[in-house]
Amino acid sequence: MPKISAATVADHRAQQHRALIAAARELLESEGDAAAVTFTAVARRTGLARNSVYKYFPDRSALLAAVVHESTPVWTERITAAMAAADGPEQQVAAYVRAQCELVRDGEHRIARALAGDRDAAALREAAGEAHRKLLSPLVSALSELGDRTPLRTAQLLQGLVNAAVTALESGAPFRPTTERAAALAVASLAALEG
């Protein structure tokens, strides 16, 4: 019987499961390409045999979906915390934009971009869709507080502005002016809300 490095077999399995997800995430961060996430590469990083990875994930898509599920709360918490620290709903909208730009600056978006370009992207759409719904949730709340009758639609449109800022940042645009311009445009657009 193989050695376990935890108090119980269940704890050991949970520990190994987390280690495999962390290894996949590290590969996404370092390589910027989901193709780098293979069971062989993940096994090598964790010190497991390649066939052992199958005990935790039936296939590569399931492993990548687990990375999305684990990363989403980190992204959502950063956005929610930034919005909670803002003064009023208009500044919460600006904080939403800034927080996502900061995620790009800090390398978090690199994981999402790598996953989006993966050959198994179709299999990841459900996990990514859920992640986007969670990311939009605090923005929808701020827009509702501003009296927007269609806050989800407005949030989706504002996310398009954020996506454009992200693309600019990833193409080498300077962080601070790009972020501040995007935040200012988002706040200015609130004047067009249907009350």
Side-chain angles (χ1 to χ4, degrees), residues 15-143:
Q15 186 178 34
Q16 293 294 82
H17 187 265
R18 286 190 304 272
L20 292 166
I21 294 170
R25 183 182 166 89
E26 288 166 11
L27 285 163
L28 288 167
E29 287 174 345
S30 65
E31 302 299 323
D33 184 359
V37 181
T38 64
F39 277 14
T40 300
V42 169
R44 190 176 303 122
R45 280 190 178 244
T46 57
L48 293 174
R50 181 181 174 274
N51 64 345
S52 295
V53 180
Y54 287 98
K55 294 177 184 176
Y56 298 90
F57 298 98
D59 55 36
R60 187 175 164 279
S61 294
L63 174 57
L64 293 174
V67 172
V68 172
H69 284 294
E70 186 173 279
S71 298
T72 300
V74 172
W75 301 334
T76 306
E77 285 168 19
R78 281 188 60 179
I79 292 166
T80 303
M83 290 179 74
D87 233 1
E90 286 185 0
Q91 288 309 307
Q92 287 177 340
V93 170
Y96 177 86
V97 174
R98 287 187 190 104
Q100 287 204 51
C101 290
E102 289 167 2
L103 287 169
V104 172
R105 180 196 62 200
D106 298 345
E108 287 291 328
H109 192 259
R110 189 173 175 157
I111 293 168
R113 190 178 68 224
L115 290 168
D118 187 59
R119 68 179 186 270
D120 292 331
L124 294 171
R125 278 198 191 104
E126 185 178 332
E130 180 62 25
H132 268 277
R133 283 187 290 281
K134 287 180 180 177
L135 289 176
L136 285 177
S137 181
L139 181 58
V140 169
S141 295
L143 293 166

Side-chain angles (χ1 to χ4, degrees), residues 101 104-105 109 113 160-175 177-179 181-182:
C101 290
V104 172
R105 180 196 62 200
H109 192 259
R113 190 178 68 224
L161 172 67
V162 172
N163 293 346
V166 164
T167 300
L169 290 170
E170 289 177 337
S171 297
F175 173 75
T178 304
T179 299
R181 173 73 57 91

